Amino acid sequence: MTQAVWTEVDQYFTGQLVPHDHALDATLAASNAAGLPAINVAPNQGKLLNLLAQIRGARRILEIGTLGGYSTIWLARALPPDGRLVTMEYDRRHAEVARANIARAGLADRVDVRVGAALELLPALARERPEPFDLFFIDADKQSNADYFRWALRLCRVGSLIIVDNVVRGGRVVDGRSDDPGVVGTRRLIDAMAAEPRVTATAVQTVGSKSYDGFAMALVIA
Ligand code: SAH
Ligand code: DHB
Ligand code: MG
């Protein structure tokens, strides 16, 4: 089975279950026109994030890695009208494109796009003593994944869900001798999840239009 089949199957499922939607289509078009890399989650993955947020009854969501706001919009749409999503983005241009996309989707009142390095923005956010976040989507620089997981543990409550994108990267994650910072960072994340008694976690491999990758997920139980 190859990439062509994975893409065709994604197109089949997406065509049936994830109807085209003006705001999301326009988000990808505007992101592409602005030269942003096409590394957003796939439509059926975005919908999975939306369903997980609905299942969780999430009222407060923290995302790390906004890009053009595609996953942001999927997640924010699961919020109730008084819900809130904070998303962190290092690249000022990505954040500007995301803000316009989020506004076009009618979600500007619920979404707070913060610009800067997440490891600088997270301590600032913590100092605000925010209400705990119900769901985290970690999807930025992979070398910092273990640090982002630890920050999520500081900002969560019992019952919060922590989702991390891109933990497989074509299978490279199994190479314990790799010096690729993304692989090293993801392996440190999995070690941290395994060692942390406050969570119960799993990780799954995925194939599809975004190639061969996967998600890790941890539920906060204490
Ligand atoms: N979640 C998005 C994709 C994010 S791509 C989606 O699925 O639609 C990863 C993003 O993380 C990029 O926009 C990149 O600029 C940003 N990023 C990289 N390092 C970062 C850091 N240290 N802090 C915050 N954002 C970072
Ligand atoms: C990359 C980042 C992502 O978040 C993703 O989903 C796919 C690729 C990347 O940096 O190449
Ligand atoms: Mg990703």
Side-chain angles (χ1 to χ4, degrees):
M1 292 296 123
T2 62
Q3 181 63 56
V5 181
W6 303 341
T7 300
E8 198 181 337
V9 173
D10 256 7
Q11 283 165 352
Y12 166 64
F13 287 144
T14 297
Q16 289 285 76
L17 304 173
V18 190
H20 273 284
D21 163 317
H22 173 66
L24 287 168
D25 291 348
T27 289
L28 293 183
S31 300
N32 194 39
L36 271 52
I39 55 176
N40 50 275
V41 293
N44 48 345
Q45 295 174 333
K47 185 146 182 195
L48 174 64
L49 294 173
N50 177 278
L51 297 184
L52 289 167
Q54 289 195 60
I55 292 164
R56 180 59 297 178
R59 292 184 49 256
R60 298 180 47 83
I61 297 174
L62 178 59
E63 177 179 67
I64 304 177
T66 316
L67 191 64
Y70 185 76
S71 56
T72 316
I73 291 169
W74 273 115
L75 286 164
R77 282 182 172 172
L79 290 169
D82 64 341
R84 191 132 187 88
L85 185 153
V86 176
T87 184
M88 298 180 170
E89 173 54 52
Y90 178 74
D91 188 307
R92 181 165 299 281
R93 212 167 45 87
H94 295 185
E96 274 169 25
V97 172
R99 283 197 183 108
N101 287 332
I102 290 159
R104 190 194 298 105
L107 294 164
D109 59 330
R110 267 165 261 187
V111 177
D112 176 3
V113 180
R114 299 192 178 192
V115 183
L119 287 178
E120 287 169 20
L121 296 173
L122 285 160
L125 175 64
R127 282 194 294 276
E128 295 167 17
R129 302 199 161 274
E131 252 183 82
F133 292 89
D134 310 303
L135 186 142
F136 299 81
F137 182 50
I138 297 173
D139 190 22
D141 55 315
K142 313 308 175 191
Q143 70 261 31
S144 301
N145 271 345
D147 300 306
Y148 297 149
F149 174 63
R150 286 196 195 90
W151 275 106
L153 287 173
R154 287 186 54 173
L155 296 166
C156 70
R157 60 172 174 82
V158 171
S160 297
L161 184 62
I162 303 168
I163 306 167
V164 187
D165 195 21
N166 310 117
V167 298
V168 176
R169 297 315 273 277
R172 293 196 297 280
V173 70
V174 293
D175 183 0
R177 285 177 306 187
S178 173
D179 55 11
D180 175 331
V183 172
V184 174
T186 297
R187 292 180 65 90
R188 283 180 56 221
L189 165 81
I190 300 298
D191 288 347
M193 283 183 167
E196 176 52 61
R198 291 178 60 205
V199 307
T200 181
T202 190
V204 292
Q205 307 178 65
T206 57
V207 294
S209 60
K210 296 282 158 176
S211 188
Y212 169 36
D213 215 318
F215 295 101
M217 246 180 254
L219 180 68
V220 179
I221 54 169

